[in-house]
Amino acid sequence: MTAETNPVLGWAGFAFGGAALLVSLIVFLAGPFAPQQSVGVSLGELAAEIVSSASRSMAGLEQPEPEVAARTIDDFLDIGIAVAATVAILFGIAALVRHESRRLAVSGIALGGFVIAFQVFTFVVAMIAGVILIAAVVGSLSDTFGDLFGG
């Protein structure tokens, strides 16, 4: 059998790209799967941490060592999505090199690239929203620490 009649790598790239896209959409629409604190609790802890950090800095005390966050199922899903998308791109490139079906190879590359772009886009949008939210919290703390936060 030739590569043209048996496009194994093309189909593998397409399958990995499709699986990565499916899992990515499931994580985006149904996630997070690990237990999460409510937004109010998280914002309250953030505000309290900002206040205590500012107080320690003003008193000349050292800041505590950063804590290592434990990995959750969401982290492993994100890593798995990225790996599957990368494998789809690599299989697609290998299929092109082997002169397999061009449509299958390009489909695998396109699906893998789209999944990576989708993950990066959602991450950037979440970071922008987080920065806006943190700026609002810091702005609300300006009443408490007027000169420190520019208020």
Side-chain angles (χ1 to χ4, degrees):
M1 291 187 155
T2 65
E4 185 63 37
T5 59
N6 192 12
V8 176
L9 293 177
W11 279 113
F14 183 76
F16 271 96
L21 180 61
L22 179 68
V23 174
S24 177
L25 289 174
I26 289 171
V27 168
F28 180 72
L29 297 173
F33 297 108
Q36 303 285 322
Q37 290 181 344
S38 71
V39 176
V41 171
S42 297
L43 286 177
E45 287 180 358
L46 175 66
E49 195 170 320
I50 289 172
V51 169
S52 64
S53 175
S55 300
R56 280 192 300 271
S57 292
M58 292 169 74
L61 301 173
E62 296 213 8
Q63 300 294 336
E65 291 294 319
E67 297 177 12
V68 178
R71 295 266 183 208
T72 64
I73 185 70
D74 297 319
D75 297 328
F76 291 117
L77 285 172
D78 288 339
I79 292 169
I81 290 167
V83 167
T86 304
V87 168
I89 293 172
L90 293 176
F91 276 156
I93 291 170
L96 284 176
V97 169
R98 286 188 52 193
H99 301 291
E100 291 184 3
S101 173
R102 188 172 179 90
R103 281 187 185 168
L104 279 174
V106 171
S107 296
I109 293 169
L111 280 171
F114 175 74
V115 169
I116 291 172
F118 179 72
Q119 291 291 94
V120 170
F121 176 75
T122 56
F123 180 76
V124 168
V125 168
M127 290 300 106
I128 291 171
V131 166
I132 292 171
L133 193 61
I134 289 171
V137 169
V138 169
S140 69
L141 290 176
S142 66
D143 294 337
T144 307
F145 294 101
D147 293 332
L148 185 63
F149 291 116

